[in-house]
Amino acid sequence: MGVCLSILASGSRGNSTLISSSRTRILVDAGVSCRETFKRLKAAGDDPHSLSAILITHEHSDHVYGLAMLAKKLSVPVFMTGATHQSWARALRDENGECPALDRLEVFSSGHSFYIGDVQIAPFTIPHDAADPVGFTFRAEGVKFGIATDLGYLPASVRDHLRGCDVLVIESNHDVEMLRVGPYPWSVKQRVMSRVGHLSNEALAEFFANDYDGGAAYVVLAHLSEQNNHPELARGAAEKALGPRQTLLQNRVLLAAQAEPMQPIRL
Ligand SMILES: [Zn+2]
Ligand SMILES: [Zn+2]
């Protein structure tokens, strides 16, 4: 069967990705509704009830919108850091101050790897304006996947974690000029552009040109802004920076979309 990465949704209206080995199936983020997650999993030929666990990067609603309902319906363990869990629960307090409870919460810490089934997961800290945001690498059956979105820049520690990935899912959020002249209020522009905001096409191109090891079979551009980016601008910047390292077998550039799941990547 091998390992598979399937991006169900990507962008500021909801993020969710399925990582699977022959024995384990992990949903990374639950940012679309339970109903839509089920629909997209089924469309990709997956049974939602076969999920092993849900793993959360951070508490922003585009990453947790469907979490409470999914966890309840599927009764699977939910993995997040302690600080992410606290902020998630605080944000969902009802009028009596009651926080939602997760039946099967599993707390992990950034920098400490752990297993879900046969998949080894290494969470690492990313610079983003959330309580305790993380990216992940996943290793199973000799393959390494990396996911890093929602980050203001790429610190050396993140660059290190992303070395040796066979599939690299990385943020290409905005074109700097489109954001600058676009419709967002100045305060929001400042937040997106800040060191704890989102990664631009230009910042990602700088990484590809200067520091990326070039070893991935697939590079997936993710969390594209619908207001401040065009898929072809993001692709063009990435392909130009990757240059001759793009071959038939290496560094094929794919784009994750908001409206529909991406074709699954099987290795
Ligand atoms: Zn996000
Ligand atoms: Zn975020």
Side-chain angles (χ1 to χ4, degrees), residues 174-195:
H174 57 278
D175 173 86
V176 170
E177 188 57 20
M178 276 184 78
L179 176 66
R180 206 178 60 78
V181 302
Y184 282 10
W186 178 240
S187 59
V188 179
K189 290 182 185 182
Q190 272 185 316
R191 187 219 146 218
V192 172
M193 276 191 272
S194 78
R195 300 275 277 180

Side-chain angles (χ1 to χ4, degrees), residues 11-15 29 57-58 60-63 128 149-150 171 173 191 198 223:
S12 59
R13 288 188 293 114
N15 295 274
D29 284 336
T57 58
H58 64 296
H60 287 164
S61 67
D62 58 321
H63 298 260
H128 190 54
T149 70
D150 299 71
E171 177 162 48
N173 179 261
R191 187 219 146 218
H198 289 276
H223 216 299

Side-chain angles (χ1 to χ4, degrees), residues 3-256:
V3 289
C4 179
L5 180 144
S6 181
I7 297 184
L8 303 177
S10 182
S12 59
R13 288 188 293 114
N15 295 274
S16 199
T17 297
L18 179 69
I19 303 263
S20 56
S21 70
S22 23
R23 293 206 279 123
T24 309
R25 314 168 75 65
I26 301 166
L27 194 69
V28 183
D29 284 336
V32 286
S33 70
C34 179
R35 187 196 173 101
E36 187 66 19
T37 306
F38 272 45
K39 197 175 119 193
R40 293 188 183 207
L41 281 169
K42 284 178 184 159
D46 278 292
D47 175 9
H49 295 278
S50 72
L51 281 183
S52 317
I54 301 172
L55 195 51
I56 298 296
T57 58
H58 64 296
E59 74 279 15
H60 287 164
S61 67
D62 58 321
H63 298 260
V64 297
Y65 179 76
L67 176 62
M69 186 60 86
L70 270 170
K72 198 168 147 194
K73 279 226 162 127
L74 298 175
S75 183
V76 290
V78 176
F79 288 74
M80 48 182 147
T81 75
T84 297
H85 175 250
Q86 274 181 8
S87 308
W88 171 77
R90 249 197 318 264
L92 293 185
R93 262 184 312 214
D94 63 18
E95 60 270 24
N96 302 320
E98 294 283 329
C99 295
L102 288 170
D103 290 345
R104 300 176 67 187
L105 172 67
E106 299 278 345
V107 171
F108 66 81
S109 303
S110 177
H112 297 270
S113 59
F114 59 96
Y115 278 87
I116 298 176
D118 60 340
V119 180
Q120 187 190 29
I121 297 151
F124 54 89
T125 295
I126 53 171
H128 190 54
D129 53 0
D132 188 16
V134 295
F136 297 110
T137 61
F138 301 86
R139 284 176 200 268
E141 302 176 30
V143 171
K144 180 177 177 183
F145 294 148
I147 298 185
T149 70
D150 299 71
L151 66 181
Y153 71 106
L154 284 166
S157 56
V158 173
R159 292 173 194 240
D160 284 344
H161 277 283
L162 298 180
R163 282 188 221 291
C165 284
D166 297 289
V167 178
L168 178 59
V169 178
I170 192 157
E171 177 162 48
S172 194
N173 179 261
H174 57 278
D175 173 86
V176 170
E177 188 57 20
M178 276 184 78
L179 176 66
R180 206 178 60 78
V181 302
Y184 282 10
W186 178 240
S187 59
V188 179
K189 290 182 185 182
Q190 272 185 316
R191 187 219 146 218
V192 172
M193 276 191 272
S194 78
R195 300 275 277 180
V196 289
H198 289 276
L199 202 68
S200 68
N201 298 348
E202 291 83 351
L204 179 58
E206 181 278 320
F207 166 66
F208 284 147
N210 299 320
D211 206 10
Y212 166 58
D213 62 7
Y218 296 94
V219 169
V220 184
L221 308 181
H223 216 299
L224 267 70
S225 166
E226 293 176 297
Q227 296 278 349
N228 305 306
N229 210 348
H230 283 306
E232 290 317 310
L233 275 178
R235 179 194 290 280
E239 289 186 340
K240 189 170 166 217
L242 288 165
R245 283 184 292 177
Q246 268 206 297
T247 65
L248 267 179
L249 294 176
Q250 294 220 289
N251 300 308
R252 278 168 287 179
V253 174
L254 305 176
L255 290 156

